[in-house]
Amino acid sequence: MVEAPSPLKRVLVTGGAGYIGSHVVYALQNTRRFKVISIDNHHNSYPKSLLRVSQLSKSELPEGASAQDVETTEIDAHKCDLTQPEQIRQVFQKYGKAGIWGVIHIAAYKAVGESTEIPLTYYANNVGATVSLLQVMAEFECTRIVYSSSATVYGIPPIIPIPETTRLQAESPYGKTKVMAETIIQDLCQAEPERWRAISLRYFNPAGAHPSGVIGEDPRGRPGNLLPLLAHMAVGRVKEDKLMVFGNDYPTPDGTCVRDYLHVLDLASGHLLALDALAPGSTVFDNCPTPARVKAFNLGKGKGMSVYQIVEAMRKATGFDYKTEVIGRRAGDVPDLTADPALAEKELGFKADKDLDTMCRDLWNWQSKNPQGYGED
Ligand code: WQD
């Protein structure tokens, strides 16, 4: 049964139930221009997150909102394993040929350290699944994609801050999966320049949560990333008060790794700008060196913060007395990943303007209101 055509643009978000995905879904709904479809295997997310997103969007509807506005707060959520092409096809079949306007492809495994231990799982899920998705998109005449890439594609960058022209030389299997997927998308756009439009967004370090505290980051198991781990420590979900610092002998101001943290809502806004840049009439591809309509942009603030600076900012936001202990470096870590955000600012109108204190305050507001996160499957 094919859904009736809709005046709203249908956008499919892979990984829509995840931390980034749920905030991107919220931002799409907030425009009242899109009907969102989400596919997610819930490997690192909970179905409840999308119920919360809808609840949040409905709470922000104006009095007397139209039926179409109400429809933008509904999400077609599908549990789907992107490594299984038939499962992807079943979702696209529901909307028919050209029934989905574009795809925001966020779903991926993303732990730098873990990827060095199980590389094949990362290649299958991050690269194999991307190929399957693109193949099904082509079958259903859906040829616009915003791809979630990563600053880890730069490896150890030769210059800081990092412009998009920097050679891609990922250090970890995770980063290499992102380089490979970007390359696959570039080659596809090169082969069919009149058909495909694509933008890869190289995320730096997303942080924070929607200020309502209704949605937020809730990784399954012990968080691998610094900020959610610090939040779990402060709320008692991790019974430790000492952060293990993975090395303080890096060539950085205080010896710990430097990262460019940006608010997850600023990151989500970047996706909307990229999606709109795929529409006819956009000038974003005008100065491309080849006919291929494909481009990559950094999404960052252009401001690097060290591990110790993050701990201090979270101490201020949570009131928790963190201790630290320096241990060995983590496999795959690089000293400094700080973005040069000028290209995205100039060509997409992107601006990551929320500061670190806001990120930490919003993260703590989410975590303190939801000590067990979404807490259920
Ligand atoms: C930050 C810093 C650690 C935990 C993330 C995502 C990855 C990609 C890039 C999007 C590092 C240090 C951490 C701990 C520590 N994002 N640290 N003790 O490694 O930059 O990767 O951003 O694609 O998917 O995972 O972020 O938060 O894991 O680490 O010392 O217990 O904190 O060494 O320097 P990272 P992170």
Side-chain angles (χ1 to χ4, degrees):
M1 164 68 169
V2 176
E3 292 269 318
S6 163
L8 296 168
K9 279 181 183 173
R10 288 197 192 94
V11 173
L12 184 144
V13 180
T14 74
Y19 169 46
I20 310 298
S22 56
H23 285 84
V24 168
V25 171
Y26 166 76
L28 286 165
Q29 294 191 328
N30 211 252
T31 67
R32 307 271 177 270
R33 293 191 283 128
F34 302 103
K35 176 67 187 290
V36 178
I37 302 157
S38 166
I39 60 179
D40 201 304
N41 66 359
H42 300 307
H43 171 83
N44 193 26
S45 66
Y46 295 89
K48 189 173 181 181
S49 66
L50 289 176
L51 299 177
R52 290 280 191 91
V53 171
S54 277
Q55 170 196 343
L56 183 56
S57 295
K58 285 187 192 322
S59 74
E60 294 179 347
L61 280 175
E63 277 298 306
S66 70
Q68 183 172 297
D69 281 354
V70 172
E71 191 188 353
T72 65
T73 67
E74 306 296 337
I75 304 167
D76 285 1
H78 304 266
K79 184 171 171 36
C80 174
D81 179 351
L82 279 170
T83 62
Q84 304 303 315
E86 200 40 48
Q87 292 189 25
I88 308 172
R89 200 167 281 115
Q90 279 168 10
V91 173
F92 275 79
Q93 272 159 352
K94 186 176 174 195
Y95 307 97
K97 272 207 189 304
I100 295 175
W101 188 85
V103 169
I104 299 178
H105 180 28
I106 298 173
Y109 296 158
K110 61 138 192 155
V112 168
E114 181 188 55
S115 77
T116 63
E117 295 154 14
I118 49 171
L120 206 48
T121 304
Y122 271 69
Y123 287 118
N125 192 64
N126 293 6
V127 182
T130 299
V131 172
S132 300
L133 174 66
L134 291 165
Q135 286 174 320
V136 174
M137 287 174 69
E139 284 173 36
F140 285 86
E141 287 305 318
C142 175
T143 55
R144 300 179 190 90
I145 183 167
V146 174
Y147 173 62
S148 163
S149 187
S150 166
T152 47
V153 300
Y154 296 118
I156 300 179
I159 56 168
I160 296 287
I162 311 166
E164 287 84 350
T165 49
T166 303
R167 89 278 171 270
L168 304 187
Q169 194 173 304
E171 294 282 309
S172 67
Y174 164 72
K176 290 171 189 172
T177 67
K178 292 296 177 178
V179 174
M180 290 174 190
E182 279 199 32
T183 305
I184 289 163
I185 290 167
Q186 279 166 9
D187 288 349
L188 181 56
C189 292
Q190 202 72 42
E192 299 181 273
E194 289 314 308
R195 194 174 179 214
W196 288 86
R197 290 170 178 247
I199 286 178
S200 288
L201 299 176
R202 293 172 183 165
Y203 299 178
F204 281 69
N205 286 55
H210 186 279
S212 65
V214 170
I215 58 175
E217 184 167 13
D218 190 21
R220 285 185 181 265
R222 179 188 170 86
N225 294 133
L226 179 61
L227 271 155
L229 175 61
L230 292 170
H232 280 212
M233 289 168 72
V235 83
R237 201 163 155 189
V238 164
K239 307 295 183 207
E240 301 151 29
D241 66 353
K242 188 183 290 181
L243 173 80
M244 296 298 135
V245 176
F246 298 145
N248 69 349
D249 56 351
Y250 286 97
T252 60
D254 66 15
T256 65
C257 292
V258 171
R259 294 289 183 272
D260 182 337
Y261 298 87
L262 73 158
H263 197 288
V264 66
L265 286 179
D266 285 334
L267 184 78
S269 301
H271 289 71
L272 297 191
L273 293 166
L275 195 66
D276 285 340
L278 301 182
S282 158
T283 58
V284 81
F285 301 112
D286 287 358
N287 57 358
C288 280
T290 71
R293 291 176 294 190
V294 55
K295 211 157 196 178
F297 293 96
N298 291 335
L299 293 190
K301 280 179 72 66
K303 184 175 172 53
M305 304 299 279
S306 75
V307 176
Y308 286 140
Q309 287 175 301
I310 295 298
V311 172
E312 197 42 47
M314 280 298 281
R315 189 194 316 273
K316 189 172 140 192
T318 64
F320 188 78
D321 182 21
Y322 295 101
K323 313 282 190 300
T324 59
E325 179 183 328
V326 179
I327 60 172
R329 293 181 172 191
R330 177 175 67 177
D333 273 346
V334 298
D336 187 333
L337 288 171
T338 300
D340 175 349
L343 190 68
E345 292 174 353
K346 174 171 176 273
E347 298 195 3
L348 294 179
F350 172 72
K351 187 66 184 160
D353 55 12
K354 293 176 180 63
D355 63 17
L356 180 63
D357 284 343
T358 302
M359 292 179 226
C360 292
R361 185 173 62 245
D362 290 344
L363 168 59
W364 181 234
N365 182 43
W366 147 256
Q367 198 72 78
S368 55
K369 285 178 176 174
N370 303 272
Q372 294 309 315
Y374 295 113
E376 64 187 40
D377 270 318

PDB file of all heavy atoms in Angstrom, residues 340-366:
ATOM      1  N   ASP A 340      38.164  24.603  10.767  1.00  0.00           N
ATOM      2  CA  ASP A 340      38.030  25.928  10.152  1.00  0.00           C
ATOM      3  C   ASP A 340      36.608  25.924   9.578  1.00  0.00           C
ATOM      4  O   ASP A 340      36.345  25.244   8.586  1.00  0.00           O
ATOM      5  CB  ASP A 340      39.066  26.117   9.036  1.00  0.00           C
ATOM      6  CG  ASP A 340      38.849  27.451   8.309  1.00  0.00           C
ATOM      7  OD1 ASP A 340      37.798  28.092   8.535  1.00  0.00           O
ATOM      8  OD2 ASP A 340      39.739  27.850   7.528  1.00  0.00           O
ATOM      9  N   PRO A 341      35.677  26.647  10.175  1.00  0.00           N
ATOM     10  CA  PRO A 341      34.265  26.545   9.759  1.00  0.00           C
ATOM     11  C   PRO A 341      33.892  27.545   8.660  1.00  0.00           C
ATOM     12  O   PRO A 341      32.715  27.646   8.300  1.00  0.00           O
ATOM     13  CB  PRO A 341      33.523  26.869  11.051  1.00  0.00           C
ATOM     14  CG  PRO A 341      34.432  27.826  11.763  1.00  0.00           C
ATOM     15  CD  PRO A 341      35.840  27.475  11.374  1.00  0.00           C
ATOM     16  N   ALA A 342      34.893  28.217   8.088  1.00  0.00           N
ATOM     17  CA  ALA A 342      34.605  29.344   7.171  1.00  0.00           C
ATOM     18  C   ALA A 342      33.778  28.941   5.954  1.00  0.00           C
ATOM     19  O   ALA A 342      32.873  29.669   5.531  1.00  0.00           O
ATOM     20  CB  ALA A 342      35.918  29.990   6.730  1.00  0.00           C
ATOM     21  N   LEU A 343      34.068  27.756   5.382  1.00  0.00           N
ATOM     22  CA  LEU A 343      33.358  27.381   4.146  1.00  0.00           C
ATOM     23  C   LEU A 343      31.863  27.166   4.407  1.00  0.00           C
ATOM     24  O   LEU A 343      31.012  27.684   3.690  1.00  0.00           O
ATOM     25  CB  LEU A 343      33.969  26.114   3.547  1.00  0.00           C
ATOM     26  CG  LEU A 343      33.480  25.744   2.145  1.00  0.00           C
ATOM     27  CD1 LEU A 343      33.960  26.777   1.118  1.00  0.00           C
ATOM     28  CD2 LEU A 343      33.955  24.339   1.742  1.00  0.00           C
ATOM     29  N   ALA A 344      31.536  26.443   5.471  1.00  0.00           N
ATOM     30  CA  ALA A 344      30.115  26.194   5.799  1.00  0.00           C
ATOM     31  C   ALA A 344      29.426  27.510   6.161  1.00  0.00           C
ATOM     32  O   ALA A 344      28.267  27.744   5.802  1.00  0.00           O
ATOM     33  CB  ALA A 344      30.005  25.206   6.945  1.00  0.00           C
ATOM     34  N   GLU A 345      30.158  28.372   6.836  1.00  0.00           N
ATOM     35  CA  GLU A 345      29.572  29.670   7.202  1.00  0.00           C
ATOM     36  C   GLU A 345      29.290  30.488   5.953  1.00  0.00           C
ATOM     37  O   GLU A 345      28.215  31.077   5.801  1.00  0.00           O
ATOM     38  CB  GLU A 345      30.506  30.409   8.165  1.00  0.00           C
ATOM     39  CG  GLU A 345      30.596  29.739   9.538  1.00  0.00           C
ATOM     40  CD  GLU A 345      31.620  30.376  10.470  1.00  0.00           C
ATOM     41  OE1 GLU A 345      32.372  31.271  10.013  1.00  0.00           O
ATOM     42  OE2 GLU A 345      31.679  29.960  11.649  1.00  0.00           O
ATOM     43  N   LYS A 346      30.197  30.455   5.007  1.00  0.00           N
ATOM     44  CA  LYS A 346      30.062  31.273   3.777  1.00  0.00           C
ATOM     45  C   LYS A 346      29.028  30.668   2.829  1.00  0.00           C
ATOM     46  O   LYS A 346      28.147  31.363   2.318  1.00  0.00           O
ATOM     47  CB  LYS A 346      31.429  31.370   3.095  1.00  0.00           C
ATOM     48  CG  LYS A 346      31.442  32.075   1.732  1.00  0.00           C
ATOM     49  CD  LYS A 346      32.895  32.298   1.266  1.00  0.00           C
ATOM     50  CE  LYS A 346      32.939  32.902  -0.132  1.00  0.00           C
ATOM     51  NZ  LYS A 346      32.909  31.842  -1.192  1.00  0.00           N
ATOM     52  N   GLU A 347      29.093  29.359   2.604  1.00  0.00           N
ATOM     53  CA  GLU A 347      28.275  28.770   1.538  1.00  0.00           C
ATOM     54  C   GLU A 347      26.957  28.159   2.009  1.00  0.00           C
ATOM     55  O   GLU A 347      26.030  28.006   1.223  1.00  0.00           O
ATOM     56  CB  GLU A 347      29.097  27.730   0.769  1.00  0.00           C
ATOM     57  CG  GLU A 347      30.311  28.354   0.088  1.00  0.00           C
ATOM     58  CD  GLU A 347      30.925  27.444  -0.963  1.00  0.00           C
ATOM     59  OE1 GLU A 347      30.379  26.348  -1.215  1.00  0.00           O
ATOM     60  OE2 GLU A 347      31.948  27.845  -1.542  1.00  0.00           O
ATOM     61  N   LEU A 348      26.884  27.817   3.286  1.00  0.00           N
ATOM     62  CA  LEU A 348      25.621  27.265   3.807  1.00  0.00           C
ATOM     63  C   LEU A 348      24.910  28.238   4.731  1.00  0.00           C
ATOM     64  O   LEU A 348      23.741  28.043   5.063  1.00  0.00           O
ATOM     65  CB  LEU A 348      25.877  25.954   4.578  1.00  0.00           C
ATOM     66  CG  LEU A 348      26.391  24.752   3.787  1.00  0.00           C
ATOM     67  CD1 LEU A 348      26.598  23.557   4.732  1.00  0.00           C
ATOM     68  CD2 LEU A 348      25.442  24.356   2.652  1.00  0.00           C
ATOM     69  N   GLY A 349      25.663  29.248   5.186  1.00  0.00           N
ATOM     70  CA  GLY A 349      25.086  30.149   6.182  1.00  0.00           C
ATOM     71  C   GLY A 349      25.076  29.516   7.562  1.00  0.00           C
ATOM     72  O   GLY A 349      24.321  29.888   8.448  1.00  0.00           O
ATOM     73  N   PHE A 350      25.963  28.514   7.756  1.00  0.00           N
ATOM     74  CA  PHE A 350      26.041  27.789   9.028  1.00  0.00           C
ATOM     75  C   PHE A 350      26.748  28.631  10.079  1.00  0.00           C
ATOM     76  O   PHE A 350      27.708  29.348   9.783  1.00  0.00           O
ATOM     77  CB  PHE A 350      26.824  26.483   8.821  1.00  0.00           C
ATOM     78  CG  PHE A 350      27.135  25.727  10.082  1.00  0.00           C
ATOM     79  CD1 PHE A 350      26.125  25.063  10.761  1.00  0.00           C
ATOM     80  CD2 PHE A 350      28.424  25.717  10.612  1.00  0.00           C
ATOM     81  CE1 PHE A 350      26.408  24.371  11.938  1.00  0.00           C
ATOM     82  CE2 PHE A 350      28.712  25.033  11.789  1.00  0.00           C
ATOM     83  CZ  PHE A 350      27.701  24.364  12.452  1.00  0.00           C
ATOM     84  N   LYS A 351      26.286  28.552  11.346  1.00  0.00           N
ATOM     85  CA  LYS A 351      26.998  29.218  12.451  1.00  0.00           C
ATOM     86  C   LYS A 351      26.745  28.461  13.739  1.00  0.00           C
ATOM     87  O   LYS A 351      25.593  28.358  14.195  1.00  0.00           O
ATOM     88  CB  LYS A 351      26.522  30.674  12.583  1.00  0.00           C
ATOM     89  CG  LYS A 351      27.339  31.492  13.586  1.00  0.00           C
ATOM     90  CD  LYS A 351      28.778  31.675  13.123  1.00  0.00           C
ATOM     91  CE  LYS A 351      29.626  32.406  14.183  1.00  0.00           C
ATOM     92  NZ  LYS A 351      31.074  32.160  13.957  1.00  0.00           N
ATOM     93  N   ALA A 352      27.819  27.924  14.325  1.00  0.00           N
ATOM     94  CA  ALA A 352      27.695  27.208  15.613  1.00  0.00           C
ATOM     95  C   ALA A 352      27.943  28.229  16.708  1.00  0.00           C
ATOM     96  O   ALA A 352      29.087  28.505  17.088  1.00  0.00           O
ATOM     97  CB  ALA A 352      28.708  26.080  15.686  1.00  0.00           C
ATOM     98  N   ASP A 353      26.868  28.870  17.181  1.00  0.00           N
ATOM     99  CA  ASP A 353      27.076  30.015  18.070  1.00  0.00           C
ATOM    100  C   ASP A 353      26.837  29.712  19.552  1.00  0.00           C
ATOM    101  O   ASP A 353      27.084  30.557  20.405  1.00  0.00           O
ATOM    102  CB  ASP A 353      26.204  31.205  17.636  1.00  0.00           C
ATOM    103  CG  ASP A 353      24.726  30.821  17.551  1.00  0.00           C
ATOM    104  OD1 ASP A 353      24.368  29.730  18.047  1.00  0.00           O
ATOM    105  OD2 ASP A 353      23.947  31.607  16.985  1.00  0.00           O
ATOM    106  N   LYS A 354      26.365  28.501  19.891  1.00  0.00           N
ATOM    107  CA  LYS A 354      26.150  28.209  21.320  1.00  0.00           C
ATOM    108  C   LYS A 354      27.505  27.877  21.949  1.00  0.00           C
ATOM    109  O   LYS A 354      28.304  27.134  21.384  1.00  0.00           O
ATOM    110  CB  LYS A 354      25.164  27.057  21.473  1.00  0.00           C
ATOM    111  CG  LYS A 354      23.741  27.430  21.006  1.00  0.00           C
ATOM    112  CD  LYS A 354      22.805  26.227  21.081  1.00  0.00           C
ATOM    113  CE  LYS A 354      21.407  26.613  20.616  1.00  0.00           C
ATOM    114  NZ  LYS A 354      21.398  27.037  19.174  1.00  0.00           N
ATOM    115  N   ASP A 355      27.730  28.384  23.163  1.00  0.00           N
ATOM    116  CA  ASP A 355      29.063  28.223  23.769  1.00  0.00           C
ATOM    117  C   ASP A 355      29.125  26.949  24.626  1.00  0.00           C
ATOM    118  O   ASP A 355      28.125  26.263  24.843  1.00  0.00           O
ATOM    119  CB  ASP A 355      29.436  29.464  24.582  1.00  0.00           C
ATOM    120  CG  ASP A 355      28.486  29.695  25.769  1.00  0.00           C
ATOM    121  OD1 ASP A 355      27.758  28.758  26.150  1.00  0.00           O
ATOM    122  OD2 ASP A 355      28.469  30.820  26.285  1.00  0.00           O
ATOM    123  N   LEU A 356      30.329  26.680  25.145  1.00  0.00           N
ATOM    124  CA  LEU A 356      30.559  25.435  25.893  1.00  0.00           C
ATOM    125  C   LEU A 356      29.713  25.389  27.155  1.00  0.00           C
ATOM    126  O   LEU A 356      29.149  24.341  27.498  1.00  0.00           O
ATOM    127  CB  LEU A 356      32.045  25.289  26.249  1.00  0.00           C
ATOM    128  CG  LEU A 356      32.423  24.022  27.023  1.00  0.00           C
ATOM    129  CD1 LEU A 356      32.127  22.771  26.170  1.00  0.00           C
ATOM    130  CD2 LEU A 356      33.895  24.048  27.431  1.00  0.00           C
ATOM    131  N   ASP A 357      29.576  26.507  27.850  1.00  0.00           N
ATOM    132  CA  ASP A 357      28.746  26.502  29.067  1.00  0.00           C
ATOM    133  C   ASP A 357      27.302  26.125  28.737  1.00  0.00           C
ATOM    134  O   ASP A 357      26.644  25.386  29.488  1.00  0.00           O
ATOM    135  CB  ASP A 357      28.801  27.876  29.751  1.00  0.00           C
ATOM    136  CG  ASP A 357      30.126  28.089  30.498  1.00  0.00           C
ATOM    137  OD1 ASP A 357      30.835  27.063  30.755  1.00  0.00           O
ATOM    138  OD2 ASP A 357      30.466  29.241  30.783  1.00  0.00           O
ATOM    139  N   THR A 358      26.787  26.596  27.621  1.00  0.00           N
ATOM    140  CA  THR A 358      25.429  26.232  27.202  1.00  0.00           C
ATOM    141  C   THR A 358      25.339  24.740  26.897  1.00  0.00           C
ATOM    142  O   THR A 358      24.384  24.070  27.302  1.00  0.00           O
ATOM    143  CB  THR A 358      25.028  27.051  25.960  1.00  0.00           C
ATOM    144  OG1 THR A 358      25.110  28.440  26.266  1.00  0.00           O
ATOM    145  CG2 THR A 358      23.605  26.718  25.497  1.00  0.00           C
ATOM    146  N   MET A 359      26.342  24.206  26.203  1.00  0.00           N
ATOM    147  CA  MET A 359      26.361  22.776  25.904  1.00  0.00           C
ATOM    148  C   MET A 359      26.328  21.965  27.193  1.00  0.00           C
ATOM    149  O   MET A 359      25.526  21.037  27.347  1.00  0.00           O
ATOM    150  CB  MET A 359      27.636  22.412  25.111  1.00  0.00           C
ATOM    151  CG  MET A 359      27.701  22.956  23.708  1.00  0.00           C
ATOM    152  SD  MET A 359      29.270  22.471  22.927  1.00  0.00           S
ATOM    153  CE  MET A 359      29.768  24.046  22.212  1.00  0.00           C
ATOM    154  N   CYS A 360      27.171  22.351  28.154  1.00  0.00           N
ATOM    155  CA  CYS A 360      27.264  21.585  29.409  1.00  0.00           C
ATOM    156  C   CYS A 360      25.980  21.764  30.239  1.00  0.00           C
ATOM    157  O   CYS A 360      25.477  20.795  30.841  1.00  0.00           O
ATOM    158  CB  CYS A 360      28.482  22.017  30.212  1.00  0.00           C
ATOM    159  SG  CYS A 360      30.037  21.568  29.418  1.00  0.00           S
ATOM    160  N   ARG A 361      25.422  22.958  30.236  1.00  0.00           N
ATOM    161  CA  ARG A 361      24.183  23.203  30.991  1.00  0.00           C
ATOM    162  C   ARG A 361      23.029  22.384  30.397  1.00  0.00           C
ATOM    163  O   ARG A 361      22.272  21.726  31.118  1.00  0.00           O
ATOM    164  CB  ARG A 361      23.843  24.700  30.942  1.00  0.00           C
ATOM    165  CG  ARG A 361      22.638  25.088  31.805  1.00  0.00           C
ATOM    166  CD  ARG A 361      22.436  26.587  31.871  1.00  0.00           C
ATOM    167  NE  ARG A 361      22.166  27.160  30.563  1.00  0.00           N
ATOM    168  CZ  ARG A 361      23.001  28.026  29.948  1.00  0.00           C
ATOM    169  NH1 ARG A 361      24.124  28.381  30.526  1.00  0.00           N
ATOM    170  NH2 ARG A 361      22.690  28.528  28.764  1.00  0.00           N
ATOM    171  N   ASP A 362      22.939  22.357  29.061  1.00  0.00           N
ATOM    172  CA  ASP A 362      21.845  21.602  28.426  1.00  0.00           C
ATOM    173  C   ASP A 362      22.044  20.095  28.597  1.00  0.00           C
ATOM    174  O   ASP A 362      21.095  19.348  28.780  1.00  0.00           O
ATOM    175  CB  ASP A 362      21.754  21.961  26.931  1.00  0.00           C
ATOM    176  CG  ASP A 362      21.233  23.392  26.706  1.00  0.00           C
ATOM    177  OD1 ASP A 362      20.670  23.975  27.652  1.00  0.00           O
ATOM    178  OD2 ASP A 362      21.419  23.900  25.578  1.00  0.00           O
ATOM    179  N   LEU A 363      23.318  19.666  28.530  1.00  0.00           N
ATOM    180  CA  LEU A 363      23.593  18.239  28.754  1.00  0.00           C
ATOM    181  C   LEU A 363      23.184  17.837  30.168  1.00  0.00           C
ATOM    182  O   LEU A 363      22.503  16.821  30.374  1.00  0.00           O
ATOM    183  CB  LEU A 363      25.089  17.948  28.539  1.00  0.00           C
ATOM    184  CG  LEU A 363      25.599  16.586  29.008  1.00  0.00           C
ATOM    185  CD1 LEU A 363      24.876  15.431  28.316  1.00  0.00           C
ATOM    186  CD2 LEU A 363      27.101  16.483  28.768  1.00  0.00           C
ATOM    187  N   TRP A 364      23.562  18.667  31.139  1.00  0.00           N
ATOM    188  CA  TRP A 364      23.252  18.332  32.538  1.00  0.00           C
ATOM    189  C   TRP A 364      21.740  18.420  32.798  1.00  0.00           C
ATOM    190  O   TRP A 364      21.172  17.609  33.529  1.00  0.00           O
ATOM    191  CB  TRP A 364      24.023  19.228  33.490  1.00  0.00           C
ATOM    192  CG  TRP A 364      23.769  18.927  34.930  1.00  0.00           C
ATOM    193  CD1 TRP A 364      23.359  19.799  35.911  1.00  0.00           C
ATOM    194  CD2 TRP A 364      23.892  17.652  35.583  1.00  0.00           C
ATOM    195  NE1 TRP A 364      23.205  19.138  37.112  1.00  0.00           N
ATOM    196  CE2 TRP A 364      23.538  17.819  36.941  1.00  0.00           C
ATOM    197  CE3 TRP A 364      24.260  16.364  35.155  1.00  0.00           C
ATOM    198  CZ2 TRP A 364      23.545  16.767  37.854  1.00  0.00           C
ATOM    199  CZ3 TRP A 364      24.265  15.326  36.064  1.00  0.00           C
ATOM    200  CH2 TRP A 364      23.911  15.531  37.395  1.00  0.00           C
ATOM    201  N   ASN A 365      21.058  19.359  32.159  1.00  0.00           N
ATOM    202  CA  ASN A 365      19.603  19.473  32.322  1.00  0.00           C
ATOM    203  C   ASN A 365      18.920  18.189  31.850  1.00  0.00           C
ATOM    204  O   ASN A 365      18.048  17.625  32.517  1.00  0.00           O
ATOM    205  CB  ASN A 365      19.090  20.682  31.512  1.00  0.00           C
ATOM    206  CG  ASN A 365      17.596  20.900  31.672  1.00  0.00           C
ATOM    207  OD1 ASN A 365      17.066  20.804  32.786  1.00  0.00           O
ATOM    208  ND2 ASN A 365      16.911  21.139  30.567  1.00  0.00           N
ATOM    209  N   TRP A 366      19.376  17.673  30.701  1.00  0.00           N
ATOM    210  CA  TRP A 366      18.822  16.394  30.183  1.00  0.00           C
ATOM    211  C   TRP A 366      19.128  15.258  31.156  1.00  0.00           C
ATOM    212  O   TRP A 366      18.265  14.501  31.574  1.00  0.00           O
ATOM    213  CB  TRP A 366      19.405  16.089  28.807  1.00  0.00           C
ATOM    214  CG  TRP A 366      19.598  14.631  28.500  1.00  0.00           C
ATOM    215  CD1 TRP A 366      20.770  13.932  28.499  1.00  0.00           C
ATOM    216  CD2 TRP A 366      18.579  13.663  28.144  1.00  0.00           C
ATOM    217  NE1 TRP A 366      20.548  12.610  28.196  1.00  0.00           N
ATOM    218  CE2 TRP A 366      19.219  12.406  27.964  1.00  0.00           C
ATOM    219  CE3 TRP A 366      17.193  13.738  27.963  1.00  0.00           C
ATOM    220  CZ2 TRP A 366      18.521  11.250  27.622  1.00  0.00           C
ATOM    221  CZ3 TRP A 366      16.490  12.570  27.628  1.00  0.00           C
ATOM    222  CH2 TRP A 366      17.156  11.346  27.460  1.00  0.00           C
TER     223      TRP A 366
END
